[in-house]
Amino acid sequence: MLKKLEKLSAFIGNTPLIELKQDDISMFAKLEYNNFTGSSKDRASYSLIYNGIKDGKINEDTTIIASSSGNLAISVASICKILKLRFIPVIDPNINSAYEHLLNLISYDVVKVTERDYTGGYLLNRIQTVDRLHTEIPNSFVADQYADPNNYKGYQGLADEIMNSFDYLDRIFIAVSSSGAITGISSYLKKQRPEIQIIGVDVEGSVIFNAKPVKRFISGIGASQVPPIIENAMIDDVVILTQLDIIRGCSELLNEQAIFAGASSGAVYLAAKNYAKIYGAEGRSLLIFPDKGHTYLDTIYNKDWAADLAEKLVEPAAVA
């Protein structure tokens, strides 16, 4: 299994770096959606599975279980398919329909949590379901993107790619969810380039940075609990956006840069532009774009869905 994974590693990492066209602002983007299954989560899932096998926690008869809102599940499912391992993703209603359909095609089983937890999200109930399945299924392994250090260690290669690409860099904007990317990049890069500022980008209603929980309808950014691995991150500043801001960010990214990317990418793009307006446009910024936009066609790129979301967010019941 390790030999098969090592062959797959050629298709993960070394993603394109482009300069964005933006008046008076020097911005670059790392296109992480060019990884194997189309997202930066390939770095995390590869590290989780590879080290699970290496440490003797995964063998040919192991069932892999993971809580995921989308990208990690797709990545782990694809790797498990290659390794002929059983995989059970635990998902929720915020997952896009294309991903849910694909997971049903390539996974051993799919478990969908439909009840919100006390924060107004689904994450805590997903994690409880994963824990129950892990207890019930013999020889099972949890690909835990929230607490397993091998998640963020999978992004050390990305930190190397960044350092090798820039003689100088002032700041990096990174969206947070399981927090693997921001933890892996910052904890590794800051030891060698401490002058580079790490800016976390989160969504209103996420509790990662101790904000009040609010019902969230956009997958791929934010969380209903503080991921344990984020205690290893070295973050200089945080930008919090509303869910409607994220929709606007994706639209502006598409219209201004011709980049069709996912929610986290739109959030990072708008955050970087707003940051420049507030603190000045001096310096050079790098934006991490985790995934493409095709899986958000039914949501953030759908005008009817966006209008419906705007109505939900002004209703008192929308606050958990």
Side-chain angles (χ1 to χ4, degrees):
M1 287 193 292
L2 289 178
K3 288 181 179 178
K4 288 182 179 179
L5 277 179
E6 287 164 1
K7 290 180 180 179
L8 178 62
S9 67
F11 302 96
I12 299 174
N14 296 311
T15 51
L17 176 71
I18 64 169
E19 185 171 7
L20 301 177
K21 298 177 181 179
Q22 188 69 37
D23 293 341
D24 301 324
I25 307 175
S26 178
M27 294 196 301
F28 294 79
K30 189 71 166 161
L31 306 183
E32 282 290 283
Y33 51 69
N34 281 276
N35 279 301
F36 173 58
T37 66
S39 83
S40 62
K41 294 289 187 178
D42 283 330
R43 298 182 188 264
S45 59
Y46 182 93
S47 180
L48 289 166
I49 301 301
Y50 187 93
N51 285 286
I53 296 170
K54 187 178 178 181
D55 295 340
K57 297 176 181 178
I58 299 174
N59 57 41
E60 291 83 354
D61 299 316
T62 301
T63 298
I64 313 298
I65 310 167
S67 163
S68 171
S69 62
N71 286 325
L72 183 97
I74 294 296
S75 184
V76 174
S78 300
I79 290 176
C80 286
K81 199 71 173 176
I82 291 171
L83 300 180
K84 301 187 185 304
L85 293 172
R86 291 183 296 272
F87 174 55
I88 303 176
V90 178
I91 62 173
D92 65 55
N94 282 342
I95 191 171
N96 65 76
S97 58
Y99 270 7
E100 184 172 3
H101 183 64
L102 179 56
L103 286 173
N104 277 292
L105 286 175
I106 63 177
S107 302
Y108 175 74
D109 191 16
V110 177
V111 176
K112 189 172 185 179
V113 170
T114 57
E115 291 187 9
R116 292 184 180 270
D117 54 49
Y118 72 90
T119 70
Y122 297 99
L123 176 59
L124 302 185
N125 286 343
R126 287 200 334 245
I127 292 174
Q128 287 180 359
T129 301
V130 167
D131 291 341
R132 175 178 59 79
L133 292 171
H134 183 41
T135 300
E136 295 174 354
I137 300 172
N139 189 15
S140 58
F141 173 82
V142 177
D144 187 353
Q145 62 174 324
Y146 315 105
D148 191 333
N150 287 314
N151 175 356
Y152 72 82
K153 289 179 181 179
Y155 291 92
Q156 290 182 359
L158 177 52
D160 280 331
E161 292 169 34
I162 293 170
M163 286 189 291
N164 292 335
S165 298
F166 293 97
D167 292 329
Y168 76 92
L169 188 63
D170 293 280
R171 61 195 68 87
I172 306 175
F173 290 85
I174 310 169
V176 296
S177 183
S178 68
S179 302
I182 199 167
T183 302
I185 293 171
S186 67
S187 63
Y188 189 69
L189 185 144
K190 279 280 196 177
K191 293 176 183 178
Q192 302 173 68
R193 303 278 290 275
E195 75 280 4
I196 299 177
Q197 285 192 313
I198 303 296
I199 315 297
V201 180
D202 200 6
V203 60
E204 190 177 60
S206 166
V207 304
I208 295 176
F209 297 109
N210 300 314
K212 181 181 179 181
V214 176
K215 275 187 182 178
R216 291 176 290 113
F217 300 88
I218 297 175
S219 63
I221 184 170
S224 300
Q225 71 168 16
V226 180
I229 60 173
I230 203 172
E231 67 181 16
N232 299 290
M234 301 175 70
I235 301 172
D236 296 288
D237 204 354
V238 176
V239 176
I240 308 293
L241 301 175
T242 69
Q243 295 178 79
L244 297 181
D245 283 337
I246 292 175
I247 295 173
R248 181 162 65 90
C250 288
S251 176
E252 292 181 4
L253 180 58
L254 179 59
N255 292 326
E256 296 171 5
Q257 306 294 339
I259 293 178
F260 180 51
S264 295
S265 303
V268 164
Y269 183 63
L270 185 62
K273 292 203 301 178
N274 288 347
Y275 206 86
K277 290 177 182 177
I278 296 172
Y279 298 104
E282 295 81 7
R284 177 183 287 179
S285 296
L286 174 65
L287 286 57
I288 307 298
F289 289 170
D291 62 357
K292 289 192 76 68
H294 66 281
T295 54
Y296 295 88
L297 283 171
D298 293 334
T299 55
I300 58 177
Y301 288 101
N302 183 305
K303 291 183 179 180
D304 291 336
W305 184 89
D308 183 58
L309 174 62
E311 291 183 5
K312 288 178 180 177
L313 293 178
V314 299
E315 295 173 358
V319 180

